[in-house]
Amino acid sequence: MTKDYAVGIDIGGTNTKFGIVDRKGNILEQGRMRTDTHENAEDFISELYVNLSKLIDSHGGSEKFKGIGVGAPNGNYYTGTIEYAPNLKWKGIIPMAELIEKKFELPTKLTNDANAAAMGEMMYGVAKGLKHFITITLGTGVGSGIVIDGKIVVGHDGFAGELGHIIVKPGGRLHKGTGMRGSLESYASATGVRETAIEFLTNEPDTASLLRNYSIDDLTSETVYNCAIQGDVIANKIFEFTGEVLGEALANFVMFSSPEAIVLFGGLTKAGDLILKPTVRAMEANLLPIFQNKVKVIFSDLKEADAAILGASALVWESEH
Amino acid sequence: MTKDYAVGIDIGGTNTKFGIVDRKGNILEQGRMRTDTHENAEDFISELYVNLSKLIDSHGGSEKFKGIGVGAPNGNYYTGTIEYAPNLKWKGIIPMAELIEKKFELPTKLTNDANAAAMGEMMYGVAKGLKHFITITLGTGVGSGIVIDGKIVVGHDGFAGELGHIIVKPGGRLHKGTGMRGSLESYASATGVRETAIEFLTNEPDTASLLRNYSIDDLTSETVYNCAIQGDVIANKIFEFTGEVLGEALANFVMFSSPEAIVLFGGLTKAGDLILKPTVRAMEANLLPIFQNKVKVIFSDLKEADAAILGASALVWESEH
């Protein structure tokens, strides 16, 4: 029987998304489940199996499937393991590819979630045809995939491209997951925007803000966005600040690998120009002249998570070439 | 006649070094001249011609030479030009490879000085056999060469690897050449050490220091080193601080490309453990656990400038493979 389909799985800190993908990169059906409600990887895989088996069965059963591709935080392409992922509850080294392969009885490959997304962008997204680009996921955390000369940079051990954990403000905000101070992820993630909101509201107790109508628990990057588009001064300052921090970091990345484009995706990009404009401005201001006005900063046009699902599924076809 | 030799030229901000190199990577003879005393590139090339012609003639004349390889700040491998180099007096875009080729009537190739050094380390130095490493020059300025999968990273436009200009302290010390604030080069270069010395001596007017015996003009990284090994408290703090800034930056580089080793060379490495220990300590402290205790930070064992001369000369042989 011809193996027409692949499964692509994107394991994120909060949610896991999965899809059935054909050889042309069409996502035929997809689903999602919580990641963070599972205390250990085995429980997670059990629920994943229940959810995903239905989709596999409704597409002809596992004989029609060539394999499973997984993108996961701190995923290692060489070993198929997830190692010490600060944004996951499962600690230590998890042999995720092996566990999934046993459960589903399908060949399984795994890579870093952000590398999967970069591959999705390169094969099916805005980075199609580009040889030098960087993707940055602005989600619960900040992930990254670096492409140089058309290849994903994995480094000598499979872990390259952890740009979310780069220190952008030495001695700055504490990142609870890693214990580091001043990392990009502490600022330019949904979590970071929320923390910036709390900080700004606390530091300026006398400035009126729509954000004060929300309880601390309801202060999310979405509520900040909703207030910002209504002209709220503090909400706008929050995006301005977030963009500045992100743009300064992007300038550093450009001076490293000189990419043609930086592709942004993930929840924060829903803020559109509110985040894009200060980001580009800060990036340009921190670049040497030889790099200025050359690098396109663009939003992914793939639907949320599609890039990662597609990129993960591409791992399955990869072995055929 | 067999073309047995190549010329390797390393253009630095202060000095230019050049050598006659054979196919095995032996530097048969070398010389140096000032770079910064020449207001324009044509004058510089005239003096270079006078100096270098003697060496070429004493090795059989130009018929014995296959070509000339040049490493230069902001040198572009694709175009052979030096573009807007902040550490050179010559502004704008200098078609250096073309100018040298015309003057010497020998095929000339050019690349970034730090990329040339990285190539020298990979072919003849401590990085021999490594596929993933970064070289950092700690000289008048800070240069870098990045090797991924055995290839120098040049990016989409030939300018990748300008790690000296990465911002490590946003809003920090002004870099006079670029107008940027807080770049690595403002701290971790010979110039940076001198500035740190002036800063520390000014900020702690009551702390006794051997450094106070020197006039401001004589405060160099060498004098700081000489005082440090005599146990001077401020001089030791200067290297401690410099190493910390450098180590924090190295941690960021590691999280980008996950190299096996970082090779340091240039004037500041003469300080040995005084600079190496705080650098490694700060790097490890700023790495995610998955990267810790994996990356070797080593000094080049090639004589100063030899790496760059050898790497530049390697450009000449490159075309034969």
Side-chain angles (χ1 to χ4, degrees):
Chain A
M1 193 181 280
T2 54
K3 309 277 189 191
D4 294 331
Y5 308 126
V7 173
I9 302 175
D10 173 37
I11 301 179
T14 312
N15 293 302
T16 291
K17 294 144 193 169
F18 43 85
I20 309 296
V21 187
D22 70 12
R23 285 169 183 274
K24 289 183 182 156
N26 299 307
I27 300 178
L28 305 175
E29 198 175 351
Q30 58 181 300
R32 66 160 66 200
M33 56 178 272
R34 290 292 287 259
T35 312
D36 59 358
T37 51
H38 299 280
E39 291 301 321
N40 61 64
E42 288 73 16
D43 289 353
F44 167 79
I45 291 172
S46 297
E47 196 196 322
L48 180 69
Y49 185 76
V50 172
N51 290 318
L52 198 46
S53 294
K54 290 177 211 153
L55 268 59
I56 291 175
D57 288 345
S58 73
H59 287 86
S62 57
E63 300 115 48
K64 295 282 286 178
F65 283 75
K66 170 106 178 149
I68 298 175
V70 185
N74 285 37
N76 188 316
Y77 177 76
Y78 295 134
T79 59
T81 52
I82 297 175
E83 306 194 13
Y84 310 100
N87 295 321
L88 294 178
K89 286 195 172 168
W90 322 321
K91 297 307 169 200
I93 301 179
I94 316 283
M96 185 56 79
E98 197 188 319
L99 292 172
I100 291 180
E101 183 159 320
K102 278 195 185 144
K103 189 81 176 178
F104 286 84
E105 294 178 339
L106 278 170
T108 302
K109 282 191 171 185
L110 178 144
T111 194
N112 181 283
D113 52 351
N115 288 350
M119 195 178 280
E121 293 295 346
M122 184 160 54
M123 294 185 67
Y124 310 110
V126 288
K128 207 165 174 171
L130 296 186
K131 295 259 180 214
H132 298 266
F133 67 95
I134 298 176
T135 58
I136 308 276
T137 334
L138 306 168
T140 313
V142 173
S144 63
I146 304 160
V147 172
I148 292 177
D149 267 332
K151 275 194 280 186
I152 307 263
V153 174
V154 290
H156 86 284
D157 57 357
F159 287 122
E162 285 291 348
L163 302 184
H165 299 290
I166 273 181
I167 306 302
V168 291
K169 293 196 174 288
R173 189 180 284 171
L174 180 69
H175 184 291
K176 289 178 192 75
T178 62
M180 314 280 266
R181 287 199 168 272
S183 64
L184 179 60
E185 183 164 285
S186 325
Y187 298 94
S189 60
T191 329
V193 166
R194 181 182 137 77
E195 281 202 52
T196 302
I198 294 170
E199 220 174 272
F200 282 18
L201 290 169
T202 312
N203 293 347
E204 299 191 34
D206 301 329
T207 310
S209 171
L210 296 168
L211 289 169
R212 299 193 194 279
N213 301 333
Y214 295 87
S215 73
I216 273 226
D217 283 350
D218 292 335
L219 268 185
T220 63
S221 54
E222 284 82 13
T223 52
V224 176
Y225 172 71
N226 289 332
C227 295
I229 54 173
Q230 293 173 66
D232 187 76
V233 174
I234 289 194
N236 276 285
K237 267 177 66 176
I238 292 165
F239 279 115
E240 190 73 24
F241 172 77
T242 308
E244 255 169 43
V245 175
L246 177 59
E248 284 169 15
L250 296 188
N252 284 355
F253 305 159
V254 168
M255 294 193 279
F256 198 104
S257 66
S258 200
E260 302 156 81
I262 293 173
V263 180
L264 302 178
F265 67 103
L268 279 195
T269 59
K270 290 183 192 148
D273 276 352
L274 284 178
I275 184 83
L276 187 61
K277 284 193 173 171
T279 299
V280 172
R281 194 163 55 233
M283 181 187 82
E284 293 291 345
N286 284 281
L287 286 173
L288 289 184
I290 46 166
F291 297 108
Q292 283 166 10
N293 304 312
K294 279 183 175 179
V295 187
K296 286 176 291 231
V297 182
I298 39 183
F299 288 152
S300 167
D301 63 359
L302 295 174
K303 267 185 295 178
E304 208 198 330
D306 282 11
I309 290 176
L310 287 171
S313 76
L315 292 172
V316 173
W317 310 124
E318 199 179 49
S319 55
E320 295 183 347
H321 302 297
Chain B
M1 194 181 281
T2 54
K3 309 276 189 191
D4 295 330
Y5 307 127
V7 172
I9 303 175
D10 173 36
I11 301 179
T14 312
N15 292 303
T16 291
K17 295 142 193 168
F18 43 84
I20 308 297
V21 187
D22 70 14
R23 285 169 183 272
K24 290 183 181 155
N26 299 305
I27 300 178
L28 305 174
E29 198 174 350
Q30 57 181 302
R32 65 161 66 201
M33 57 179 272
R34 290 294 287 258
T35 312
D36 59 358
T37 49
H38 299 278
E39 292 302 322
N40 62 63
E42 287 73 16
D43 288 354
F44 166 79
I45 292 172
S46 296
E47 196 195 322
L48 180 70
Y49 185 77
V50 172
N51 290 317
L52 198 45
S53 295
K54 291 177 210 153
L55 267 57
I56 291 174
D57 288 345
S58 71
H59 287 86
S62 55
E63 301 115 46
K64 295 282 286 176
F65 282 75
K66 170 105 179 148
I68 297 175
V70 185
N74 286 34
N76 189 315
Y77 178 75
Y78 295 134
T79 57
T81 52
I82 297 175
E83 306 193 16
Y84 309 102
N87 294 321
L88 294 178
K89 286 193 172 170
W90 321 321
K91 297 307 168 200
I93 301 180
I94 316 285
M96 184 57 77
E98 196 189 319
L99 293 171
I100 291 180
E101 185 159 320
K102 278 196 186 142
K103 188 81 177 180
F104 286 83
E105 294 178 340
L106 278 169
T108 302
K109 282 192 170 183
L110 177 142
T111 194
N112 179 285
D113 51 353
N115 287 350
M119 194 178 281
E121 292 295 345
M122 185 160 54
M123 294 186 66
Y124 310 110
V126 288
K128 206 165 174 172
L130 297 186
K131 294 259 178 212
H132 299 267
F133 67 95
I134 297 176
T135 57
I136 308 277
T137 334
L138 306 168
T140 313
V142 173
S144 65
I146 303 160
V147 173
I148 292 177
D149 268 331
K151 276 194 277 185
I152 306 265
V153 174
V154 291
H156 86 283
D157 57 357
F159 287 121
E162 284 291 350
L163 301 184
H165 299 290
I166 273 181
I167 306 301
V168 291
K169 294 195 174 286
R173 189 181 282 169
L174 180 70
H175 184 293
K176 291 180 190 73
T178 63
M180 314 279 266
R181 287 200 169 271
S183 63
L184 179 59
E185 184 164 285
S186 323
Y187 298 94
S189 60
T191 329
V193 166
R194 179 181 139 79
E195 280 202 53
T196 302
I198 295 169
E199 221 173 271
F200 282 16
L201 289 169
T202 312
N203 294 348
E204 301 190 36
D206 301 329
T207 310
S209 172
L210 296 168
L211 290 168
R212 298 192 195 280
N213 301 333
Y214 295 87
S215 73
I216 274 227
D217 284 350
D218 291 336
L219 269 186
T220 63
S221 54
E222 284 83 13
T223 53
V224 176
Y225 172 71
N226 289 333
C227 295
I229 55 171
Q230 292 174 66
D232 188 76
V233 174
I234 289 194
N236 276 284
K237 268 178 64 177
I238 292 165
F239 279 114
E240 192 73 25
F241 172 78
T242 307
E244 257 168 43
V245 175
L246 177 59
E248 285 168 15
L250 296 189
N252 284 355
F253 305 160
V254 168
M255 294 193 279
F256 197 104
S257 66
S258 200
E260 303 156 79
I262 293 173
V263 179
L264 302 178
F265 66 103
L268 278 196
T269 61
K270 289 184 193 148
D273 277 351
L274 284 178
I275 183 84
L276 187 61
K277 285 193 172 172
T279 299
V280 172
R281 196 162 53 233
M283 180 187 83
E284 292 291 346
N286 284 282
L287 285 174
L288 288 185
I290 45 167
F291 297 107
Q292 283 166 11
N293 304 311
K294 280 183 173 178
V295 188
K296 286 175 290 224
V297 182
I298 39 183
F299 288 152
S300 166
D301 63 357
L302 295 173
K303 267 185 295 175
E304 208 197 329
D306 282 11
I309 290 176
L310 287 171
S313 76
L315 293 171
V316 173
W317 309 122
E318 200 179 47
S319 54
E320 295 184 346
H321 301 298

